[in-house]
Every structure is written in C-alpha cells, then in structure tokens.
Amino acid sequence: YSTVYWLGKDTLRVSAALFAENRRRLCEGLRAKQGLQPKSLVLLQGGEQKQRYCTDTDVVFRQESFFHWTFGVTEADCYGAVDVDTCKAFLFIPKLPESYATWMGEIYPKEHFKEKYALEEVHYTCDVSWTDTKNATNFRGVNTDSGSVTREASFEGISRRLLKTDMELEVLRYTNRISSEAHKEVMKHVSAGQKEYEMESLFRHYCYSQGGMRHTSYTCICGSGHNSSVLHYGHAGAPNDKTIQDGDMCLFDMGGEYYCYSSDITCSFPANGKFTPDQKAIYEAVLKSSRAVLAAIKPGVKWSDMHRLADRVHLEELIKVGILRGNLDDMMKVHLGSVFMPHGLGHLLGIDVHDVGGYPEGTERIDEPGLKSLRMGRVVQERMVLTVEPGIYFINHLLDKALASEQQSGFINNEVLARFRGSGGVRIEDDIAVTADGVELLTCVPRTVEEIEAFMADRNPEKSFSPTVSSEKF
Ligand SMILES: [Mn+2]
C-alpha cells in the first residue's frame, strides 16, 4: 500500500493497509459465524456533519468510530459496505452541490476517494436505492438491532476492535508518545498563579502543533488543589478555571487523538515541583498500586482481580499513613477501597477512549462498590490496550458516608484523615498493550517522586528528559 494518511513533518504515516487488515479480520470473523447467509454485506453509516444547534456553523467533524475502524475515511456523510465473501470495500459519498465549491473548496470526483483510501469501489449515495438494497438478500445488514444501519453494541466489529493489530499498536504508540511529551511540556511550565486552563491550552497546542492532533480523546481534566478529587473535572460547569496555588497538587488527565486513535494519560504532581511529606505519602501509595498491577497483568488474569489488587495496596498504604487502622481483609470485606477509589482501575483504549467490548454478551457487572464502575469485565488477552489508572481521592461526601457507616467508620482515624481533606487526589494513569507474557508500557513520563522533582526543578525546555520508567520491566 502506497496510500498513507500523513500530516507532514514528523507526524505518523498510517498506511491504508491498516484498514484493509481490519476489514479482512471483520470478514473472517463473520464467515466463521454460523448462520451467515452467502453474499452478505456489512453496511455502515459514517458520521454526519452537524451544525451548532440551530445555526449554520459547522461543528469540527470527527469520524464515527466503527466507520473509521473499517475504512479510515475522514470525510463526513458517507456510507460504506464490505462484501463478506470477497472483502471488497465500497464507499458511498454524497454528491455535493455546486455551491460547495464556492464555500468549501474543490469537489473531487469518485476516483479521488478510491485512490485516497485504496478502496475497491466508490459510488454516490444518491445513485443507490437504499430501500431496494435493504430488502435484497444480497444486501443484508448484519446488525441484529437496527437493520441496515450499524451502530449498536452487538455489531460483530466490536469483538474485532477488542484486539489491536501491529499497525494499530503503532498508531497507539504514537498517540502516547506525543501525549507524554505534551504532559512533560505542561510540567515544565506549570507554576502558581497560572490558570488551570492555561495548562489545558499548552497541552493541546503541543499535541496539535507537534503531533497533528486536532482533537483530544476527551475533555481535558486539569484539576489543582481540591479540584483534583473531582473525577471528571473540566466540564462546562467547572471548566479548568481555578488559579493554581503554591502547595496545590495538580491532577492533569489529558490525551491527544491522531487519526481517531486515542490516548489517556494522567500525571499528578505538586504545582511547585516539590512534594510535601503528606503529598509524597499519598502519591507513593498510588504509584505502588500502579506498579503492582503493571507487574501482575498478563494474558489470563481477571481485570476485576487487578482492581482488587489496587484496592488492597491502597488500604495497606493508608494504614501506614495512619488514615486507616485495623485488619486489611476486614477492610476489603466492607469495600473500604472504594471510598478512596470510587472509579474502576482502567478500561480498554483504542479508537474510543473507553473502547468498545468491555462486557461481551452474557457478562454481568460485579455489583460491588468500585468494581461496578469497571468498564471491562473480561479476562485480559494479548493485544488488548488498556489504561491502568489507580487513584486515591479525598472526596468529602464519600468520606462522610464512610464515617456514618457502622461497617466502615471503625477503620478510619478521623484526626489523621482531617489533615488530608481538601487536598484533592492523586491518579496515575498509564496506557499499556498486553503482550504474550506481560505488558508494554506505552506512556513515558516522569513517575517516581524523585523523577518528578528532578524534572520540575530543572525547567529548562532545551533539556530533554529520559525517564527511567521507560526501561522498567514488567
Ligand atoms: Mn482513563
């Protein structure tokens, strides 16, 4: 394949072969299924160009994820089909009005898209009679929910998207490399007196200017001080608008997206570059659980067990800090870990930041505090890409609930806890690819207290940093 997606300079070249391989995997998977009629076609609807409410202002378009996975087409308002027997790919593009050429630029012929995406056939959507094809036996949608238009969770493509090919891993390594560098850029420049949104802006500028990443994978979370305990801070009601104070811990959860492939990285560090003893204790508790989980992950382990392992390490460490007292197993029985980590340990990552396929049909969520928030109920498999993101947070309403709980309050030393209230939280989030016998760490940022302090003490943008974590073996 000479056909590549490339934004020039040092951005990644992604071959159209990536999507041809995805289509091949899709067709093979479908052919292996019982009851599939011969001459079946998979029909997919791409994303639609949307306007801002009732205005004529376009929202920046981002392709629908299944459509992207299958075709790699960046344009809006397309359909696509794959012939399951032959793997032949059809793209259906809108026939654009003449005015498009005035406002939006050149109208390309069908041949242009055929070459641009290395697809077998390109047609105009208006030349296809959709009602006829829908009823024809040779144009049978495989979606069990919605007929011809496939967007639902039961689409066969989900199980294909669960495991990443070598070419997909290459893109995810790239999104992680650029996003790691962007986080380091933020750490180099953060200081008291700045707004949280300035850090968001810096991150996004780095990702776009250096990595060709127009989108981030999700809304940037730039919490400082008490805001770092708000799990999804940064939304319109709390838009990263606090002034960063000396003595604040920062929790910055941001990931850039390239050609629709995601990254999801969280760095926690003191705004002034120096941990207090209390900040260090909580940070190192989380780092310990993160590294324990990374060392334990391999094909065959249960993801829920990894979550429990993180909980266990947190509780152990919180006993050492003095916030908790008593028997560790008894604490586990009353789910004390979820008071400090109410979210799941991590999730699948790919074209979507919370990638599809976490709960295959027939898998139930575990109905326990913390574990019920897990976005994946599967056993870990080689070629999965996952986030590992343990955290310890001091969330007042959860702490108050625990103190009011007959089962839990006895474990908590309220006097010591009071010292930590309002300090926010710590999350350490890395992206990993599961290998045959362990993990490949995709994220590369300063992680130990010593690395962070050394990196932030020396905020000379000319000096590059090579963290020792990159060579860690798990
Ligand atoms: Mn995440």
Side-chain angles (χ1 to χ4, degrees):
Y1 281 82
S2 56
T3 310
V4 292
Y5 173 90
W6 183 45
L7 291 179
K9 296 209 163 179
D10 294 330
T11 63
L12 187 72
R13 292 163 190 265
V14 182
S15 168
L18 186 155
F19 305 99
E21 189 180 9
N22 284 349
R23 291 193 295 274
R24 187 183 55 70
R25 288 197 295 155
L26 172 65
C27 293
E28 275 173 10
L30 287 170
R31 285 200 295 262
K33 262 194 149 184
Q34 287 199 333
L36 185 86
Q37 300 205 354
K39 294 185 179 172
S40 286
L41 284 159
V42 178
L43 176 61
L44 291 163
Q45 183 178 9
E48 295 159 73
Q49 177 64 60
K50 294 258 161 59
Q51 279 72 41
R52 194 183 279 184
Y53 305 109
C54 50
T55 72
D56 59 356
T57 305
D58 282 354
V59 175
V60 180
F61 179 73
R62 192 272 197 191
Q63 189 54 272
E64 193 277 327
S65 295
F66 281 116
F67 196 82
H68 181 76
W69 182 89
T70 314
F71 301 104
V73 169
T74 58
E75 285 81 359
D77 303 318
C78 297
Y79 287 80
V82 184
D83 182 322
V84 179
D85 293 332
T86 63
C87 252
K88 209 168 145 181
F90 303 82
L91 177 68
F92 304 96
I93 57 169
K95 195 159 196 174
L96 299 164
E98 207 185 277
S99 63
Y100 184 98
T102 309
W103 296 97
M104 311 298 269
E106 191 175 343
I107 297 173
Y108 295 105
K110 290 184 285 187
E111 201 55 35
H112 167 87
F113 296 96
K114 201 178 151 188
E115 272 171 38
K116 184 175 177 187
Y117 297 114
L119 301 168
E120 280 77 14
E121 283 190 38
V122 178
H123 303 279
Y124 291 119
T125 45
C126 59
D127 291 345
V128 181
S129 175
W130 297 101
T131 38
D132 287 354
T133 51
K134 213 171 142 186
N135 295 326
T137 47
N138 69 340
F139 210 89
R140 196 171 151 268
V142 292
N143 189 314
T144 51
D145 292 336
S146 58
S148 61
V149 180
T150 296
R151 278 185 170 168
E152 299 301 321
S154 63
F155 171 50
E156 173 67 14
I158 287 175
S159 51
R160 304 296 128 196
R161 267 175 64 182
L162 188 66
L163 306 180
K164 274 65 183 178
T165 63
D166 286 343
M167 282 186 279
E168 289 185 300
L169 287 174
E170 205 48 56
V171 187
L172 291 164
R173 281 186 195 104
Y174 175 79
T175 60
N176 252 270
R177 180 163 64 76
I178 299 293
S179 300
S180 295
E181 289 298 323
H183 270 283
K184 284 157 65 180
E185 187 75 1
V186 168
M187 290 172 75
K188 264 181 209 164
H189 290 93
V190 67
S191 62
Q194 296 189 85
K195 284 289 190 182
E196 293 162 341
Y197 62 73
E198 290 182 74
M199 301 300 105
E200 172 182 358
S201 170
L202 191 56
F203 180 87
R204 295 175 61 159
H205 175 66
Y206 188 94
C207 285
Y208 200 2
S209 62
Q210 302 303 304
M213 294 164 149
R214 189 176 211 178
H215 297 275
T216 50
S217 316
Y218 50 93
T219 305
C220 293
I221 299 169
C222 297
S224 62
H226 62 274
N227 292 337
S228 57
S229 69
V230 182
L231 302 180
H232 285 170
Y233 182 72
H235 58 88
N240 298 326
D241 59 350
K242 174 183 164 292
T243 303
I244 299 167
Q245 307 290 333
D246 192 26
D248 276 354
M249 273 297 282
C250 297
L251 186 159
F252 291 170
D253 184 345
M254 303 185 276
E257 178 185 285
Y258 185 74
Y259 200 17
C260 290
Y261 279 85
S262 304
S263 62
D264 185 0
I265 300 172
T266 308
C267 294
S268 301
F269 49 85
N272 62 17
K274 193 96 185 92
F275 286 85
T276 66
D278 279 352
Q279 287 171 345
K280 184 175 180 217
I282 301 305
Y283 184 87
E284 289 193 324
V286 180
L287 186 66
K288 199 165 182 185
S289 77
S290 153
R291 271 41 199 166
V293 167
L294 290 179
I297 297 177
K298 59 181 182 201
V301 302
K302 276 191 193 159
W303 194 235
S304 49
D305 285 346
M306 296 297 97
H307 182 100
R308 288 193 183 95
L309 171 61
D311 269 346
R312 186 168 272 279
V313 175
H314 292 160
L315 295 174
E316 236 166 38
E317 296 303 304
L318 290 172
I319 293 171
K320 287 183 201 160
V321 176
I323 293 173
L324 300 179
R325 57 190 164 200
N327 180 278
L328 185 63
D329 290 319
D330 294 341
M331 290 178 189
M332 289 294 287
K333 276 181 209 142
V334 299
H335 311 294
L336 204 60
S338 70
V339 174
F340 299 94
M341 183 172 76
H343 61 70
L345 173 70
H347 50 84
L348 292 159
L349 178 89
I351 292 181
D352 289 320
V353 66
H354 299 146
D355 216 22
V356 288
Y359 287 88
E361 252 175 79
T363 314
E364 298 277 311
R365 285 190 183 234
I366 301 171
D367 190 21
E368 287 176 25
L371 280 161
K372 67 170 185 259
S373 303
L374 264 190
R375 289 189 165 96
M376 187 179 87
R378 286 181 183 265
V379 165
V380 170
Q381 294 175 51
E382 190 179 351
R383 290 190 178 277
M384 277 182 175
V385 171
L386 290 158
T387 69
V388 174
E389 49 177 308
I392 292 178
Y393 314 88
F394 298 97
I395 302 171
N396 281 330
H397 82 97
L398 294 182
L399 296 171
D400 293 338
K401 221 169 106 184
L403 285 167
S405 150
E406 227 172 89
Q407 285 189 317
Q408 293 178 330
S409 63
F411 295 111
I412 301 170
N413 184 335
N414 203 11
E415 253 170 63
V416 180
L417 175 66
R419 213 167 75 215
F420 290 85
R421 279 199 192 238
S423 68
V426 165
R427 172 158 70 250
I428 297 174
E429 178 174 29
D430 292 302
D431 298 347
I432 55 136
V434 181
T435 61
D437 56 359
V439 303
E440 175 190 343
L441 189 57
L442 305 177
T443 306
C444 186
V445 291
R447 278 303 188 212
T448 67
V449 163
E450 294 71 29
E451 283 169 352
I452 292 170
E453 289 190 342
F455 182 69
M456 293 183 71
D458 178 24
R459 296 189 212 185
N460 176 0
E462 300 308 312
K463 269 195 177 170
S464 67
F465 174 80
S466 40
T468 54
V469 286
S470 63
S471 57
E472 256 182 273
K473 294 275 178 289
F474 296 104

